[in-house]
Amino acid sequence: MTTARVPVLRIYCSDAWPGLIEACDVAMRAVFAAKVQRVQKQGCVGVQSYGVHWPCLLPQHGPGKKHERPIVLADWQRPILENHPGDFLRGLFHSDGCRVANRVTVRGRAYVYPRYMFVNESTDIMGLCQWSLDLLGVAWRMNRRNSLSVARRDAVATLDRHVGPKS
């Protein structure tokens, strides 16, 4: 996030999701940035903005891999997430999650149903995802140590309202 002189926030978005690129640009401008740049790379776009206050707004940033360092909310961030858990979950699922058509066969009969999956190596980030799902009353379960599943019909419907499709 930092350069030698001024901190820079860079978020890389796949070319396959132009709506996410636009949403990232709009969010940066709404929160802080007067100027946002888009840098085209092979298969993705870097949405970036320079500003001395980015580290104040994103105190979780730091050197090293996210799953090897603590990711803890600042005191002022917790009430924001408590009031907007769906927005937070949209960011989590759009970056490290997906909505899939899950296919299972039970006693010879095939079933297909929608399911959300979220995968992250950081136990802190996984815990924040679980907490936010709990705030919305969304049933979830861990299907592996680093993978969370939302599969109940009402839970998927709630996430559909808050997360929505990538565009």
Side-chain angles (χ1 to χ4, degrees):
M1 175 152 96
T2 60
T3 63
R5 296 182 203 172
V6 178
V8 58
L9 174 62
R10 285 190 187 98
I11 300 175
Y12 290 93
C13 305
S14 171
D15 287 338
W17 309 109
L20 289 179
I21 295 167
E22 183 62 25
C24 184
D25 186 302
V26 168
M28 281 187 187
R29 290 177 196 278
V31 171
F32 174 73
K35 184 176 179 186
V36 175
Q37 302 165 321
R38 296 183 188 190
V39 180
Q40 184 66 50
K41 303 279 186 181
Q42 185 175 351
C44 67
V45 173
V47 183
Q48 65 184 36
S49 175
Y50 291 83
V52 294
H53 294 295
W54 281 123
C56 303
L57 293 174
L58 301 167
Q60 293 77 16
H61 178 72
K65 299 174 182 174
K66 333 181 268 237
H67 67 279
E68 294 177 350
R69 58 185 164 81
I71 303 292
V72 180
L73 295 178
D75 291 340
W76 61 269
Q77 292 173 314
R78 186 164 291 278
I80 294 170
L81 267 65
E82 287 171 345
N83 289 321
H84 304 282
D87 295 326
F88 182 64
L89 288 166
R90 181 174 43 251
L92 290 176
F93 278 95
H94 282 183
S95 65
D96 293 325
C98 63
R99 185 184 191 273
V100 298
N102 200 50
R103 301 175 197 297
V104 296
T105 302
V106 178
R107 287 183 231 120
R109 186 169 172 180
Y111 295 91
V112 179
Y113 61 93
R115 173 177 166 178
Y116 279 88
M117 301 291 297
F118 178 74
V119 179
N120 202 292
E121 291 296 324
S122 168
T123 56
D124 291 342
I125 292 172
M126 186 61 74
L128 290 169
C129 181
Q130 295 165 347
W131 174 66
S132 298
L133 289 166
D134 290 346
L135 288 173
L136 287 179
V138 172
W140 56 270
R141 58 180 286 199
M142 297 299 292
N143 57 326
R144 291 193 324 258
R145 69 164 180 77
N146 65 341
S147 178
L148 176 148
S149 169
V150 174
R152 294 181 61 181
R153 184 176 290 134
D154 59 334
V156 169
T158 299
L159 280 186
D160 282 346
R161 286 192 302 278
H162 290 280
V163 174
K166 292 181 183 179
S167 56

